PDB file of all heavy atoms in Angstrom:
ATOM      1  N   ASN S 198     160.079 210.163  39.575  1.00 94.00           N
ATOM      2  CA  ASN S 198     160.132 210.050  41.027  1.00 94.00           C
ATOM      3  C   ASN S 198     161.545 210.463  41.439  1.00 94.00           C
ATOM      4  O   ASN S 198     162.495 209.673  41.339  1.00 94.00           O
ATOM      5  CB  ASN S 198     159.842 208.608  41.457  1.00 94.00           C
ATOM      6  CG  ASN S 198     159.883 208.431  42.973  1.00 94.00           C
ATOM      7  OD1 ASN S 198     160.527 209.203  43.684  1.00 94.00           O
ATOM      8  ND2 ASN S 198     159.224 207.403  43.467  1.00 94.00           N
ATOM      9  N   ILE S 199     161.698 211.697  41.861  1.00 90.00           N
ATOM     10  CA  ILE S 199     163.053 212.231  42.043  1.00 90.00           C
ATOM     11  C   ILE S 199     163.753 211.680  43.277  1.00 90.00           C
ATOM     12  O   ILE S 199     164.932 211.961  43.507  1.00 90.00           O
ATOM     13  CB  ILE S 199     163.071 213.773  42.064  1.00 90.00           C
ATOM     14  CG1 ILE S 199     162.227 214.316  43.232  1.00 90.00           C
ATOM     15  CG2 ILE S 199     162.591 214.329  40.737  1.00 90.00           C
ATOM     16  CD1 ILE S 199     162.399 215.811  43.437  1.00 90.00           C
ATOM     17  N   GLU S 200     163.048 210.882  44.085  1.00 93.00           N
ATOM     18  CA  GLU S 200     163.715 210.229  45.208  1.00 93.00           C
ATOM     19  C   GLU S 200     164.418 208.950  44.783  1.00 93.00           C
ATOM     20  O   GLU S 200     165.400 208.543  45.402  1.00 93.00           O
ATOM     21  CB  GLU S 200     162.711 209.909  46.307  1.00 93.00           C
ATOM     22  CG  GLU S 200     162.154 211.141  47.000  1.00 93.00           C
ATOM     23  CD  GLU S 200     161.234 210.782  48.148  1.00 93.00           C
ATOM     24  OE1 GLU S 200     161.039 209.567  48.398  1.00 93.00           O
ATOM     25  OE2 GLU S 200     160.716 211.708  48.802  1.00 93.00           O
ATOM     26  N   LYS S 201     163.936 208.300  43.693  1.00 92.00           N
ATOM     27  CA  LYS S 201     164.464 206.982  43.336  1.00 92.00           C
ATOM     28  C   LYS S 201     164.926 206.862  41.891  1.00 92.00           C
ATOM     29  O   LYS S 201     165.889 206.138  41.611  1.00 92.00           O
ATOM     30  CB  LYS S 201     163.411 205.901  43.607  1.00 92.00           C
ATOM     31  CG  LYS S 201     163.003 205.751  45.052  1.00 92.00           C
ATOM     32  CD  LYS S 201     162.140 204.523  45.261  1.00 92.00           C
ATOM     33  CE  LYS S 201     160.846 204.601  44.461  1.00 92.00           C
ATOM     34  NZ  LYS S 201     159.953 203.435  44.730  1.00 92.00           N
ATOM     35  N   ASP S 202     164.253 207.510  40.952  1.00 94.00           N
ATOM     36  CA  ASP S 202     164.560 207.305  39.530  1.00 94.00           C
ATOM     37  C   ASP S 202     165.949 207.826  39.188  1.00 94.00           C
ATOM     38  O   ASP S 202     166.446 208.773  39.808  1.00 94.00           O
ATOM     39  CB  ASP S 202     163.520 208.000  38.655  1.00 94.00           C
ATOM     40  CG  ASP S 202     162.153 207.340  38.736  1.00 94.00           C
ATOM     41  OD1 ASP S 202     162.067 206.238  39.322  1.00 94.00           O
ATOM     42  OD2 ASP S 202     161.184 207.923  38.222  1.00 94.00           O
ATOM     43  N   GLU S 203     166.566 207.203  38.169  1.00 92.00           N
ATOM     44  CA  GLU S 203     167.897 207.621  37.736  1.00 92.00           C
ATOM     45  C   GLU S 203     167.854 208.152  36.309  1.00 92.00           C
ATOM     46  O   GLU S 203     167.100 207.665  35.467  1.00 92.00           O
ATOM     47  CB  GLU S 203     168.887 206.464  37.836  1.00 92.00           C
ATOM     48  CG  GLU S 203     169.212 206.083  39.269  1.00 92.00           C
ATOM     49  CD  GLU S 203     170.458 205.214  39.370  1.00 92.00           C
ATOM     50  OE1 GLU S 203     171.546 205.663  38.975  1.00 92.00           O
ATOM     51  OE2 GLU S 203     170.317 204.078  39.843  1.00 92.00           O
ATOM     52  N   PHE S 204     168.681 209.127  36.064  1.00 95.00           N
ATOM     53  CA  PHE S 204     168.797 209.777  34.761  1.00 95.00           C
ATOM     54  C   PHE S 204     169.987 209.145  34.037  1.00 95.00           C
ATOM     55  O   PHE S 204     171.119 209.591  34.154  1.00 95.00           O
ATOM     56  CB  PHE S 204     168.989 211.284  34.969  1.00 95.00           C
ATOM     57  CG  PHE S 204     169.027 212.099  33.710  1.00 95.00           C
ATOM     58  CD1 PHE S 204     167.981 212.086  32.807  1.00 95.00           C
ATOM     59  CD2 PHE S 204     170.121 212.913  33.450  1.00 95.00           C
ATOM     60  CE1 PHE S 204     168.021 212.858  31.649  1.00 95.00           C
ATOM     61  CE2 PHE S 204     170.170 213.697  32.317  1.00 95.00           C
ATOM     62  CZ  PHE S 204     169.116 213.665  31.412  1.00 95.00           C
ATOM     63  N   PHE S 205     169.706 208.059  33.308  1.00 90.00           N
ATOM     64  CA  PHE S 205     170.765 207.271  32.670  1.00 90.00           C
ATOM     65  C   PHE S 205     171.166 207.856  31.319  1.00 90.00           C
ATOM     66  O   PHE S 205     170.305 208.228  30.516  1.00 90.00           O
ATOM     67  CB  PHE S 205     170.302 205.827  32.451  1.00 90.00           C
ATOM     68  CG  PHE S 205     170.145 205.013  33.710  1.00 90.00           C
ATOM     69  CD1 PHE S 205     168.912 204.460  34.033  1.00 90.00           C
ATOM     70  CD2 PHE S 205     171.221 204.786  34.549  1.00 90.00           C
ATOM     71  CE1 PHE S 205     168.758 203.693  35.179  1.00 90.00           C
ATOM     72  CE2 PHE S 205     171.079 204.025  35.696  1.00 90.00           C
ATOM     73  CZ  PHE S 205     169.853 203.476  36.014  1.00 90.00           C
ATOM     74  N   ILE S 206     172.461 207.864  31.031  1.00 92.00           N
ATOM     75  CA  ILE S 206     172.920 208.357  29.728  1.00 92.00           C
ATOM     76  C   ILE S 206     172.404 207.495  28.565  1.00 92.00           C
ATOM     77  O   ILE S 206     172.076 208.039  27.510  1.00 92.00           O
ATOM     78  CB  ILE S 206     174.472 208.504  29.694  1.00 92.00           C
ATOM     79  CG1 ILE S 206     174.921 209.180  28.401  1.00 92.00           C
ATOM     80  CG2 ILE S 206     175.171 207.180  29.881  1.00 92.00           C
ATOM     81  CD1 ILE S 206     174.401 210.580  28.190  1.00 92.00           C
ATOM     82  N   PRO S 207     172.270 206.155  28.698  1.00 88.00           N
ATOM     83  CA  PRO S 207     171.715 205.415  27.552  1.00 88.00           C
ATOM     84  C   PRO S 207     170.315 205.885  27.156  1.00 88.00           C
ATOM     85  O   PRO S 207     169.981 205.888  25.970  1.00 88.00           O
ATOM     86  CB  PRO S 207     171.692 203.962  28.056  1.00 88.00           C
ATOM     87  CG  PRO S 207     172.791 203.898  29.059  1.00 88.00           C
ATOM     88  CD  PRO S 207     172.733 205.235  29.755  1.00 88.00           C
ATOM     89  N   ARG S 208     169.510 206.301  28.121  1.00 90.00           N
ATOM     90  CA  ARG S 208     168.172 206.797  27.795  1.00 90.00           C
ATOM     91  C   ARG S 208     168.250 208.103  27.018  1.00 90.00           C
ATOM     92  O   ARG S 208     167.452 208.352  26.113  1.00 90.00           O
ATOM     93  CB  ARG S 208     167.356 206.988  29.077  1.00 90.00           C
ATOM     94  CG  ARG S 208     167.018 205.685  29.787  1.00 90.00           C
ATOM     95  CD  ARG S 208     166.234 205.929  31.053  1.00 90.00           C
ATOM     96  NE  ARG S 208     166.024 204.693  31.798  1.00 90.00           N
ATOM     97  CZ  ARG S 208     165.479 204.631  33.002  1.00 90.00           C
ATOM     98  NH1 ARG S 208     165.091 205.743  33.608  1.00 90.00           N
ATOM     99  NH2 ARG S 208     165.324 203.471  33.627  1.00 90.00           N
ATOM    100  N   VAL S 209     169.201 208.947  27.371  1.00 94.00           N
ATOM    101  CA  VAL S 209     169.400 210.204  26.641  1.00 94.00           C
ATOM    102  C   VAL S 209     169.804 209.915  25.204  1.00 94.00           C
ATOM    103  O   VAL S 209     169.239 210.476  24.254  1.00 94.00           O
ATOM    104  CB  VAL S 209     170.461 211.073  27.340  1.00 94.00           C
ATOM    105  CG1 VAL S 209     170.745 212.334  26.526  1.00 94.00           C
ATOM    106  CG2 VAL S 209     170.019 211.431  28.754  1.00 94.00           C
ATOM    107  N   ILE S 210     170.776 209.023  25.032  1.00 93.00           N
ATOM    108  CA  ILE S 210     171.252 208.685  23.690  1.00 93.00           C
ATOM    109  C   ILE S 210     170.148 208.025  22.875  1.00 93.00           C
ATOM    110  O   ILE S 210     169.970 208.319  21.678  1.00 93.00           O
ATOM    111  CB  ILE S 210     172.475 207.744  23.782  1.00 93.00           C
ATOM    112  CG1 ILE S 210     173.619 208.428  24.539  1.00 93.00           C
ATOM    113  CG2 ILE S 210     172.925 207.317  22.393  1.00 93.00           C
ATOM    114  CD1 ILE S 210     174.159 209.674  23.908  1.00 93.00           C
ATOM    115  N   ASP S 211     169.383 207.142  23.505  1.00 91.00           N
ATOM    116  CA  ASP S 211     168.295 206.460  22.802  1.00 91.00           C
ATOM    117  C   ASP S 211     167.300 207.472  22.248  1.00 91.00           C
ATOM    118  O   ASP S 211     166.836 207.360  21.108  1.00 91.00           O
ATOM    119  CB  ASP S 211     167.604 205.494  23.760  1.00 91.00           C
ATOM    120  CG  ASP S 211     166.541 204.654  23.072  1.00 91.00           C
ATOM    121  OD1 ASP S 211     166.889 203.905  22.146  1.00 91.00           O
ATOM    122  OD2 ASP S 211     165.362 204.741  23.467  1.00 91.00           O
ATOM    123  N   ARG S 212     166.992 208.470  23.023  1.00 94.00           N
ATOM    124  CA  ARG S 212     166.038 209.492  22.556  1.00 94.00           C
ATOM    125  C   ARG S 212     166.635 210.336  21.439  1.00 94.00           C
ATOM    126  O   ARG S 212     165.940 210.668  20.460  1.00 94.00           O
ATOM    127  CB  ARG S 212     165.624 210.372  23.734  1.00 94.00           C
ATOM    128  CG  ARG S 212     164.590 211.410  23.381  1.00 94.00           C
ATOM    129  CD  ARG S 212     164.029 212.038  24.623  1.00 94.00           C
ATOM    130  NE  ARG S 212     163.455 213.351  24.330  1.00 94.00           N
ATOM    131  CZ  ARG S 212     163.005 214.183  25.256  1.00 94.00           C
ATOM    132  NH1 ARG S 212     163.059 213.835  26.529  1.00 94.00           N
ATOM    133  NH2 ARG S 212     162.507 215.359  24.924  1.00 94.00           N
ATOM    134  N   VAL S 213     167.906 210.678  21.549  1.00 96.00           N
ATOM    135  CA  VAL S 213     168.580 211.432  20.494  1.00 96.00           C
ATOM    136  C   VAL S 213     168.510 210.670  19.166  1.00 96.00           C
ATOM    137  O   VAL S 213     168.243 211.252  18.110  1.00 96.00           O
ATOM    138  CB  VAL S 213     170.048 211.708  20.887  1.00 96.00           C
ATOM    139  CG1 VAL S 213     170.861 212.182  19.690  1.00 96.00           C
ATOM    140  CG2 VAL S 213     170.112 212.736  22.013  1.00 96.00           C
ATOM    141  N   VAL S 214     168.747 209.365  19.237  1.00 94.00           N
ATOM    142  CA  VAL S 214     168.710 208.537  18.037  1.00 94.00           C
ATOM    143  C   VAL S 214     167.296 208.471  17.465  1.00 94.00           C
ATOM    144  O   VAL S 214     167.082 208.659  16.255  1.00 94.00           O
ATOM    145  CB  VAL S 214     169.231 207.115  18.355  1.00 94.00           C
ATOM    146  CG1 VAL S 214     168.933 206.160  17.209  1.00 94.00           C
ATOM    147  CG2 VAL S 214     170.730 207.158  18.642  1.00 94.00           C
ATOM    148  N   LYS S 215     166.327 208.223  18.319  1.00 94.00           N
ATOM    149  CA  LYS S 215     164.953 208.036  17.834  1.00 94.00           C
ATOM    150  C   LYS S 215     164.332 209.329  17.337  1.00 94.00           C
ATOM    151  O   LYS S 215     163.441 209.308  16.478  1.00 94.00           O
ATOM    152  CB  LYS S 215     164.105 207.390  18.932  1.00 94.00           C
ATOM    153  CG  LYS S 215     164.491 205.925  19.112  1.00 94.00           C
ATOM    154  CD  LYS S 215     163.767 205.247  20.247  1.00 94.00           C
ATOM    155  CE  LYS S 215     164.181 203.781  20.305  1.00 94.00           C
ATOM    156  NZ  LYS S 215     163.698 203.109  21.518  1.00 94.00           N
ATOM    157  N   GLU S 216     164.807 210.457  17.836  1.00 96.00           N
ATOM    158  CA  GLU S 216     164.343 211.742  17.327  1.00 96.00           C
ATOM    159  C   GLU S 216     165.184 212.217  16.146  1.00 96.00           C
ATOM    160  O   GLU S 216     164.981 213.332  15.648  1.00 96.00           O
ATOM    161  CB  GLU S 216     164.358 212.785  18.446  1.00 96.00           C
ATOM    162  CG  GLU S 216     163.335 212.497  19.545  1.00 96.00           C
ATOM    163  CD  GLU S 216     163.354 213.513  20.668  1.00 96.00           C
ATOM    164  OE1 GLU S 216     164.242 214.398  20.670  1.00 96.00           O
ATOM    165  OE2 GLU S 216     162.483 213.423  21.560  1.00 96.00           O
ATOM    166  N   LYS S 217     166.135 211.366  15.730  1.00 95.00           N
ATOM    167  CA  LYS S 217     166.986 211.615  14.561  1.00 95.00           C
ATOM    168  C   LYS S 217     167.781 212.923  14.682  1.00 95.00           C
ATOM    169  O   LYS S 217     168.039 213.608  13.697  1.00 95.00           O
ATOM    170  CB  LYS S 217     166.154 211.607  13.274  1.00 95.00           C
ATOM    171  CG  LYS S 217     165.427 210.285  13.032  1.00 95.00           C
ATOM    172  CD  LYS S 217     164.767 210.249  11.681  1.00 95.00           C
ATOM    173  CE  LYS S 217     163.948 208.972  11.495  1.00 95.00           C
ATOM    174  NZ  LYS S 217     164.733 207.739  11.700  1.00 95.00           N
ATOM    175  N   LYS S 218     168.184 213.236  15.903  1.00 96.00           N
ATOM    176  CA  LYS S 218     169.020 214.407  16.122  1.00 96.00           C
ATOM    177  C   LYS S 218     170.484 214.107  15.838  1.00 96.00           C
ATOM    178  O   LYS S 218     171.256 214.998  15.492  1.00 96.00           O
ATOM    179  CB  LYS S 218     168.853 214.910  17.552  1.00 96.00           C
ATOM    180  CG  LYS S 218     167.463 215.464  17.849  1.00 96.00           C
ATOM    181  CD  LYS S 218     167.356 215.945  19.280  1.00 96.00           C
ATOM    182  CE  LYS S 218     165.991 216.563  19.545  1.00 96.00           C
ATOM    183  NZ  LYS S 218     165.844 217.009  20.950  1.00 96.00           N
ATOM    184  N   LYS S 219     170.860 212.840  16.022  1.00 96.00           N
ATOM    185  CA  LYS S 219     172.252 212.446  15.823  1.00 96.00           C
ATOM    186  C   LYS S 219     172.309 210.943  15.570  1.00 96.00           C
ATOM    187  O   LYS S 219     171.544 210.184  16.175  1.00 96.00           O
ATOM    188  CB  LYS S 219     173.070 212.778  17.080  1.00 96.00           C
ATOM    189  CG  LYS S 219     174.518 213.151  16.820  1.00 96.00           C
ATOM    190  CD  LYS S 219     174.632 214.616  16.432  1.00 96.00           C
ATOM    191  CE  LYS S 219     176.071 215.093  16.528  1.00 96.00           C
ATOM    192  NZ  LYS S 219     176.192 216.524  16.206  1.00 96.00           N
ATOM    193  N   LYS S 220     173.224 210.519  14.714  1.00 96.00           N
ATOM    194  CA  LYS S 220     173.477 209.102  14.541  1.00 96.00           C
ATOM    195  C   LYS S 220     174.585 208.675  15.506  1.00 96.00           C
ATOM    196  O   LYS S 220     175.474 209.470  15.837  1.00 96.00           O
ATOM    197  CB  LYS S 220     173.879 208.809  13.100  1.00 96.00           C
ATOM    198  CG  LYS S 220     172.788 209.114  12.082  1.00 96.00           C
ATOM    199  CD  LYS S 220     173.267 208.904  10.671  1.00 96.00           C
ATOM    200  CE  LYS S 220     173.401 207.423  10.341  1.00 96.00           C
ATOM    201  NZ  LYS S 220     173.742 207.220   8.902  1.00 96.00           N
ATOM    202  N   VAL S 221     174.519 207.427  15.953  1.00 97.00           N
ATOM    203  CA  VAL S 221     175.521 206.892  16.879  1.00 97.00           C
ATOM    204  C   VAL S 221     176.152 205.659  16.250  1.00 97.00           C
ATOM    205  O   VAL S 221     175.524 204.607  16.132  1.00 97.00           O
ATOM    206  CB  VAL S 221     174.900 206.529  18.240  1.00 97.00           C
ATOM    207  CG1 VAL S 221     175.965 205.944  19.166  1.00 97.00           C
ATOM    208  CG2 VAL S 221     174.242 207.748  18.879  1.00 97.00           C
ATOM    209  N   ARG S 222     177.394 205.800  15.820  1.00 97.00           N
ATOM    210  CA  ARG S 222     178.117 204.671  15.241  1.00 97.00           C
ATOM    211  C   ARG S 222     178.576 203.740  16.360  1.00 97.00           C
ATOM    212  O   ARG S 222     179.039 204.203  17.402  1.00 97.00           O
ATOM    213  CB  ARG S 222     179.329 205.148  14.436  1.00 97.00           C
ATOM    214  CG  ARG S 222     180.079 204.025  13.719  1.00 97.00           C
ATOM    215  CD  ARG S 222     181.313 204.568  13.018  1.00 97.00           C
ATOM    216  NE  ARG S 222     180.985 205.486  11.953  1.00 97.00           N
ATOM    217  CZ  ARG S 222     180.713 205.107  10.703  1.00 97.00           C
ATOM    218  NH1 ARG S 222     180.739 203.828  10.369  1.00 97.00           N
ATOM    219  NH2 ARG S 222     180.435 206.021   9.777  1.00 97.00           N
ATOM    220  N   VAL S 223     178.449 202.446  16.129  1.00 97.00           N
ATOM    221  CA  VAL S 223     178.833 201.465  17.139  1.00 97.00           C
ATOM    222  C   VAL S 223     180.083 200.723  16.683  1.00 97.00           C
ATOM    223  O   VAL S 223     180.079 200.052  15.650  1.00 97.00           O
ATOM    224  CB  VAL S 223     177.699 200.460  17.412  1.00 97.00           C
ATOM    225  CG1 VAL S 223     178.138 199.433  18.456  1.00 97.00           C
ATOM    226  CG2 VAL S 223     176.443 201.184  17.877  1.00 97.00           C
ATOM    227  N   TYR S 224     181.143 200.890  17.441  1.00 96.00           N
ATOM    228  CA  TYR S 224     182.358 200.103  17.237  1.00 96.00           C
ATOM    229  C   TYR S 224     182.295 198.919  18.193  1.00 96.00           C
ATOM    230  O   TYR S 224     181.793 199.043  19.303  1.00 96.00           O
ATOM    231  CB  TYR S 224     183.597 200.953  17.517  1.00 96.00           C
ATOM    232  CG  TYR S 224     183.721 202.155  16.618  1.00 96.00           C
ATOM    233  CD1 TYR S 224     183.224 203.399  17.013  1.00 96.00           C
ATOM    234  CD2 TYR S 224     184.319 202.058  15.372  1.00 96.00           C
ATOM    235  CE1 TYR S 224     183.318 204.507  16.186  1.00 96.00           C
ATOM    236  CE2 TYR S 224     184.436 203.161  14.539  1.00 96.00           C
ATOM    237  CZ  TYR S 224     183.928 204.381  14.952  1.00 96.00           C
ATOM    238  OH  TYR S 224     184.018 205.471  14.133  1.00 96.00           O
ATOM    239  N   GLN S 225     182.810 197.793  17.762  1.00 93.00           N
ATOM    240  CA  GLN S 225     182.720 196.606  18.603  1.00 93.00           C
ATOM    241  C   GLN S 225     184.107 196.064  18.924  1.00 93.00           C
ATOM    242  O   GLN S 225     185.025 196.141  18.097  1.00 93.00           O
ATOM    243  CB  GLN S 225     181.882 195.525  17.919  1.00 93.00           C
ATOM    244  CG  GLN S 225     180.436 195.943  17.711  1.00 93.00           C
ATOM    245  CD  GLN S 225     179.563 194.823  17.204  1.00 93.00           C
ATOM    246  OE1 GLN S 225     179.656 193.686  17.664  1.00 93.00           O
ATOM    247  NE2 GLN S 225     178.690 195.127  16.253  1.00 93.00           N
ATOM    248  N   THR S 226     184.247 195.548  20.119  1.00 91.00           N
ATOM    249  CA  THR S 226     185.504 194.948  20.538  1.00 91.00           C
ATOM    250  C   THR S 226     185.242 193.573  21.130  1.00 91.00           C
ATOM    251  O   THR S 226     184.196 193.346  21.749  1.00 91.00           O
ATOM    252  CB  THR S 226     186.226 195.829  21.576  1.00 91.00           C
ATOM    253  OG1 THR S 226     187.457 195.206  21.966  1.00 91.00           O
ATOM    254  CG2 THR S 226     185.382 196.051  22.816  1.00 91.00           C
ATOM    255  N   SER S 227     186.179 192.675  20.929  1.00 86.00           N
ATOM    256  CA  SER S 227     186.083 191.336  21.528  1.00 86.00           C
ATOM    257  C   SER S 227     186.811 191.261  22.860  1.00 86.00           C
ATOM    258  O   SER S 227     186.950 190.190  23.440  1.00 86.00           O
ATOM    259  CB  SER S 227     186.663 190.287  20.560  1.00 86.00           C
ATOM    260  OG  SER S 227     188.025 190.578  20.279  1.00 86.00           O
ATOM    261  N   ALA S 228     187.268 192.410  23.347  1.00 86.00           N
ATOM    262  CA  ALA S 228     188.007 192.447  24.612  1.00 86.00           C
ATOM    263  C   ALA S 228     187.142 191.956  25.759  1.00 86.00           C
ATOM    264  O   ALA S 228     185.920 192.113  25.766  1.00 86.00           O
ATOM    265  CB  ALA S 228     188.488 193.867  24.898  1.00 86.00           C
ATOM    266  N   VAL S 229     187.785 191.360  26.745  1.00 84.00           N
ATOM    267  CA  VAL S 229     187.104 190.931  27.963  1.00 84.00           C
ATOM    268  C   VAL S 229     187.070 192.093  28.948  1.00 84.00           C
ATOM    269  O   VAL S 229     188.097 192.723  29.209  1.00 84.00           O
ATOM    270  CB  VAL S 229     187.816 189.717  28.597  1.00 84.00           C
ATOM    271  CG1 VAL S 229     187.162 189.344  29.926  1.00 84.00           C
ATOM    272  CG2 VAL S 229     187.793 188.531  27.645  1.00 84.00           C
ATOM    273  N   TRP S 230     185.889 192.377  29.449  1.00 85.00           N
ATOM    274  CA  TRP S 230     185.726 193.423  30.450  1.00 85.00           C
ATOM    275  C   TRP S 230     186.160 192.906  31.815  1.00 85.00           C
ATOM    276  O   TRP S 230     185.945 191.753  32.161  1.00 85.00           O
ATOM    277  CB  TRP S 230     184.255 193.828  30.506  1.00 85.00           C
ATOM    278  CG  TRP S 230     183.857 194.557  31.756  1.00 85.00           C
ATOM    279  CD1 TRP S 230     183.936 195.896  31.993  1.00 85.00           C
ATOM    280  CD2 TRP S 230     183.287 193.992  32.946  1.00 85.00           C
ATOM    281  NE1 TRP S 230     183.452 196.203  33.245  1.00 85.00           N
ATOM    282  CE2 TRP S 230     183.049 195.047  33.861  1.00 85.00           C
ATOM    283  CE3 TRP S 230     182.946 192.691  33.333  1.00 85.00           C
ATOM    284  CZ2 TRP S 230     182.498 194.846  35.118  1.00 85.00           C
ATOM    285  CZ3 TRP S 230     182.400 192.487  34.591  1.00 85.00           C
ATOM    286  CH2 TRP S 230     182.185 193.554  35.473  1.00 85.00           C
ATOM    287  N   TYR S 231     186.784 193.807  32.563  1.00 87.00           N
ATOM    288  CA  TYR S 231     187.038 193.551  33.978  1.00 87.00           C
ATOM    289  C   TYR S 231     186.510 194.746  34.756  1.00 87.00           C
ATOM    290  O   TYR S 231     186.668 195.894  34.326  1.00 87.00           O
ATOM    291  CB  TYR S 231     188.536 193.376  34.255  1.00 87.00           C
ATOM    292  CG  TYR S 231     189.143 192.207  33.540  1.00 87.00           C
ATOM    293  CD1 TYR S 231     189.851 192.391  32.350  1.00 87.00           C
ATOM    294  CD2 TYR S 231     189.012 190.910  34.029  1.00 87.00           C
ATOM    295  CE1 TYR S 231     190.396 191.308  31.677  1.00 87.00           C
ATOM    296  CE2 TYR S 231     189.556 189.823  33.358  1.00 87.00           C
ATOM    297  CZ  TYR S 231     190.244 190.035  32.187  1.00 87.00           C
ATOM    298  OH  TYR S 231     190.784 188.966  31.517  1.00 87.00           O
ATOM    299  N   GLY S 232     185.867 194.480  35.868  1.00 82.00           N
ATOM    300  CA  GLY S 232     185.334 195.578  36.653  1.00 82.00           C
ATOM    301  C   GLY S 232     185.162 195.185  38.095  1.00 82.00           C
ATOM    302  O   GLY S 232     185.290 194.012  38.465  1.00 82.00           O
TER     303      GLY S 232
END
C-alpha cells in the first residue's frame, strides 16, 4: 500500500539473511541509548 506502508531497512536485512545472501554479525553494547 504505497500510501501508508514503509520500506524498513530491518526487513531488507532480514530477507538478505534468510535467503543466505549475507551473514550479519551482531555486536552488542551495554550503553544507554538517548534519543
Side-chain angles (χ1 to χ4, degrees):
N198 180 336
I199 61 170
E200 292 184 0
K201 297 189 299 184
D202 291 350
E203 290 196 61
F204 184 57
F205 290 121
I206 187 62
R208 292 179 186 173
V209 176
I210 299 298
D211 185 61
R212 183 168 158 187
V213 166
V214 168
K215 288 176 178 170
E216 293 179 354
K217 301 187 185 304
K218 293 180 177 178
K219 212 83 165 182
K220 296 176 73 174
V221 179
R222 184 184 295 274
V223 179
Y224 299 94
Q225 296 188 42
T226 180
S227 59
V229 176
W230 161 87
Y231 298 99

